[in-house]
Amino acid sequence: MIIRTAMRRAAIAAVVTGLAVSVLGNSPAQAAQPAPAEDKALIEAARTYFAGENAITVEGGATAANATRKAEGLKVADAFRAVRDDRMEARQQLLGINELAGVRYSAVDTDVTPVGSVRTQGDTARLSVREHTEYTFAGSKDDPYSYTVRHNLSFVRTDGDWVLSKISTLDGPANLSTPEKLDPAELSAARKAAKELRAQAAKGEGKITDPAKKASAGTGVRPAAAYDYRAMVAFATKYAEPEPEDNVPYDRDENDCTNFISHALKAGGWERVLGWYRSDSVWWYTGNPWPLPPHSYTWGGAPNWQRFARDESERVYELSGPSSLAIADVVQFEIFGYSDPGQPGHTMMVTDFTDDWMPKMSYHSTDTLNRPLSEIIAEHSDGEKFWYFRT
């Protein structure tokens, strides 16, 4: 990934087509201006579908099973049937992978909020929504995992029914919030990775999980720097998942993951380095308005940040693997089809651990708080490279 603004705007959209939502229809002459009741029906159908998909990854329980049944009971167009089956199977795969990794959810709450009103023209309608989903970890007092993501939905009206014809997920590269079905080889690799990660996480005794202890333990590259890891985590957890309103105290990039982590590091004491904005030896943010650059490439680009932090400034060093991660450490990974080959396409921070010592990651694009690392590795286990950095 290169951080040039024009290139960032080439965001990857996860597109789904053809969900047919059966609602009470008015006459064709009324199609251009749906009644509020129809608006509500479309929103409720979207909520039912997303909630049912998400509930598949919850272990047991009548509430989750009922939500999934409702989603499966929605009428779907023939063109969408195979896509729907793949989406639901992807979540069933994730449930099995989570079990191998020791991650279990006891409940999930999904809400879909419209952004603006339904926009209609003839027999077509468009709706923007904001999905907010929160998972409760089973059998523990762990803070929940949650995310917020935006979708654009398009509908067409056919034979008195509104038919959902397209869903575009707007925030971040595909499958950071929407799991994708794994082929047999990918699923085998994901299962293997989950088992290995659980075995590594089980060696959690002595792991640095308290930000206050990390600084005093002298685990950073420069212990004398005395970075404030508590401040890093506080910033990341406060702004990772802004709900109900986006309240981040800076100007977002369209793909905001590295920009967000840079701000968290700055909150913990990383000092800026001024200079030419394209240089790998500088690191700064000013928020300048266009046409001036708002920050250096190293502040907002994943590969650029890596070259500055690891190679130029040596503010981080690379760890042997996820078992060595401590609180406020940074993880990056490659995303096939998005980042340049062999280069990181996403940046995130360790902000918590489960009771079983699984690192929990927070990041932007998609805005996410405390997602288990096992899920992320499982969805990117087909040869995509991961980097683990001690901050």
Side-chain angles (χ1 to χ4, degrees), residues 210-244:
D210 183 347
K213 294 181 179 178
K214 181 175 178 181
S216 61
T219 55
V221 177
R222 297 182 298 166
Y227 295 131
D228 187 346
Y229 297 104
R230 187 187 300 276
M232 292 180 187
V233 172
F235 184 98
T237 54
K238 180 177 182 179
Y239 297 113
E241 205 272 311
E243 201 277 332

Side-chain angles (χ1 to χ4, degrees), residues 190-254:
R191 290 178 180 276
K192 179 181 178 182
K195 292 178 182 178
E196 292 175 349
L197 189 56
R198 184 176 189 179
Q200 294 168 358
K203 303 173 183 178
E205 185 175 356
K207 189 180 292 292
I208 304 171
T209 61
D210 183 347
K213 294 181 179 178
K214 181 175 178 181
S216 61
T219 55
V221 177
R222 297 182 298 166
Y227 295 131
D228 187 346
Y229 297 104
R230 187 187 300 276
M232 292 180 187
V233 172
F235 184 98
T237 54
K238 180 177 182 179
Y239 297 113
E241 205 272 311
E243 201 277 332
E245 295 182 355
D246 187 357
N247 59 349
V248 295
Y250 63 86
D251 292 330
R252 283 179 180 253
D253 287 342
E254 188 163 335

